[in-house]
Amino acid sequence: FPEDLPDSALVMRAEEAGGTDVFQAADVSLPSPGEGQILVKTAAAGVNFIETYQRSGVYPVDYPFTPGTEGAGTVISLGEGVEGFTVGERVATTEAATGTYSTHFVVDAAKAVHVPDEVTDEQAAALPLQGVTAHYLINSTYRVSAGETVLTHAGAGGVGQILTQLLKAKGARVITTTSTEEKAKIAQAAGADYVLGYDNFAEQVLEITKGEGVSVVYDGVGKDTYQGSLESLAVRGMLVAFGGASGQVPPIDPQELNRRGGLFVTRPAVHWYLRNAQERAWRFSELFSALTAGELELNIGGTYPLTEVARAHEDLEGRRTTGKLLLVP
Ligand code: NDP
């Protein structure tokens, strides 16, 4: 019923590259769903590290820029030719076409997923990006087997807690790192077998693995940890450098990979692992099943009013958060 739609949406956008003070609230005209798209009233939007890179200018974007690709909410309007979705139903996505730091967003119907009744709006907004990331990292980038020992960093973080739970469900042995005692407890509660500090973590990993090293390191911390991550690997092990919370990983000399045992390095991103409808459906159905079966718990570490997004970014960059951060309009 188009007459029920508001004229405008409230967005929190970055006016230019910079610190969190570049965020301004703006009233913009309601985004209109094009062919094959749906318009969603946001129930909650996920905050992810990538948006801090976009706000600060580490990743180039055009300003003013409304961040956010992740969100959940209710369908309020359908573009032409949309099939399989109805006005009033709940959907989630990590591939929104317009920024989800907003009261409303548009998404291609092909990139939206139906939210099962037993999943809350908060869970639906919290799961997509970090859930899909954890899923592809351990099933597709490097397929972890039962009994394998794996190192993941930032075990109390959003991706970190999901990774650990999914790795444990596969029967892997999980070593992780955290920066504080409080975070160590959270990583342990997520199921980690060993929680280390960052100092000399590679030495400790070699001790735990009796000198062998681990077959894979999932490293979202980047600049501060990648060297130790390489040192933690077994012969022919793989460094999965999937993020740079401490800064980006500098170029790596292929001869170093040779010297350390014919290592592999990859720098993956979500869009390379959501390549088609089958892949999307597979990952989401396994994640929703794990959630509803109680094998996966989503720890929402902070819920912020949409207009207080600056505080959410400060907390995330300031290393003060655990679990998932959400914005609620
Ligand atoms: P987290 O909740 O994990 O937050 C980042 C954590 O990194 C911090 O809590 C902190 O944990 C740790 N950290 C270590 N050094 C620093 C530092 N200098 N500054 C800030 N944090 C630091 O965030 P997310 O779960 O959202 O993301 C984790 C990583 O995964 C990010 O690098 C992100 O870009 C990446 N990512 C990559 C994706 C991909 O497909 N490639 C998709 C999604 C996320 P502690 O204090 O315990 O060290």
Side-chain angles (χ1 to χ4, degrees), residues 49 53 130 133 136 154 157-159 178-179 183 198 220-221 242-246 267-270 316-317 319 321 323:
F49 229 93
Y53 309 145
Q130 295 177 344
T133 299
Y136 83 68
V159 175
T178 60
S179 62
K183 287 185 176 187
Y198 289 96
V221 171
F242 72 98
S246 68
R267 202 316 177 180
V270 166
L316 188 60
E317 292 174 299
R319 222 167 162 168
T321 65

Side-chain angles (χ1 to χ4, degrees), residues 107-168:
V107 58
D108 293 352
K111 294 178 175 174
V113 295
H114 303 279
V115 176
D117 287 344
E118 53 274 47
V119 173
T120 65
D121 286 342
E122 287 72 22
Q123 289 174 319
L127 183 69
L129 185 56
Q130 295 177 344
V132 166
T133 299
H135 188 274
Y136 83 68
L137 288 174
I138 68 172
N139 290 296
S140 305
T141 309
Y142 179 99
R143 187 182 287 270
V144 176
S145 310
E148 249 180 311
T149 306
V150 165
L151 170 63
T152 74
H153 288 296
V159 175
Q161 288 189 53
I162 301 177
L163 253 181
T164 296
Q165 293 178 70
L166 298 183
L167 282 165
K168 290 311 293 176

Side-chain angles (χ1 to χ4, degrees), residues 15 33 36 90 123 179 187 200 212 223 234 244 251 285 302 314:
E15 298 296 326
R90 295 186 312 140
Q123 289 174 319
S179 62
N200 301 326
E212 282 290 303
K223 183 161 110 2
S285 77
E314 278 156 23

Side-chain angles (χ1 to χ4, degrees), residues 69-313:
T69 56
E70 181 180 54
T74 306
V75 177
I76 57 168
S77 155
L78 302 173
E80 261 182 59
V82 172
E83 285 175 11
F85 289 91
T86 50
V87 169
E89 77 163 304
R90 295 186 312 140
V91 294
T93 188
T94 183
E95 300 165 279
T98 63
T100 57
Y101 285 19
S102 172
T103 52
H104 300 80
F105 64 88
V106 164
V107 58
D108 293 352
K111 294 178 175 174
V113 295
H114 303 279
V115 176
D117 287 344
E118 53 274 47
V119 173
T120 65
D121 286 342
E122 287 72 22
Q123 289 174 319
L127 183 69
L129 185 56
Q130 295 177 344
V132 166
T133 299
H135 188 274
Y136 83 68
L137 288 174
I138 68 172
N139 290 296
S140 305
T141 309
Y142 179 99
R143 187 182 287 270
V144 176
S145 310
E148 249 180 311
T149 306
V150 165
L151 170 63
T152 74
H153 288 296
V159 175
Q161 288 189 53
I162 301 177
L163 253 181
T164 296
Q165 293 178 70
L166 298 183
L167 282 165
K168 290 311 293 176
K170 272 183 174 287
R173 200 159 67 126
V174 178
I175 308 174
T176 193
T177 48
T178 60
S179 62
T180 67
E181 273 300 311
E182 193 200 348
K183 287 185 176 187
K185 287 193 187 116
I186 290 169
Q188 234 150 20
D193 298 281
Y194 299 89
V195 185
L196 313 176
Y198 289 96
D199 286 344
N200 301 326
F201 70 82
E203 266 172 43
Q204 297 176 68
V205 169
L206 290 175
E207 252 169 56
I208 292 166
T209 57
K210 303 191 168 50
E212 282 290 303
V214 290
S215 44
V216 62
V217 181
Y218 295 110
D219 189 339
V221 171
K223 183 161 110 2
D224 290 353
T225 47
Y226 81 96
Q227 191 62 45
S229 296
L230 290 173
E231 291 163 18
S232 303
L233 282 167
V235 167
R236 301 201 308 246
M238 184 185 286
L239 169 60
V240 183
F242 72 98
S246 68
Q248 303 301 312
V249 176
I252 294 175
D253 177 1
Q255 281 307 339
E256 178 168 7
L257 305 181
N258 177 14
R259 276 196 304 277
R260 293 193 180 281
L263 305 180
F264 297 83
V265 177
T266 181
R267 202 316 177 180
V270 166
H271 54 274
W272 303 123
Y273 291 87
L274 284 177
R275 296 282 284 163
N276 53 46
Q278 287 80 357
E279 208 166 49
R280 192 173 291 105
W282 169 47
R283 300 199 195 286
F284 274 100
S285 77
E286 292 207 345
L287 288 164
F288 279 135
S289 299
L291 195 60
T292 52
E295 284 168 21
L296 173 64
E297 272 181 40
L298 295 175
N299 174 351
I300 315 280
T303 302
Y304 301 72
L306 174 61
T307 49
E308 292 180 30
V309 60
R311 196 159 57 81
H313 274 217

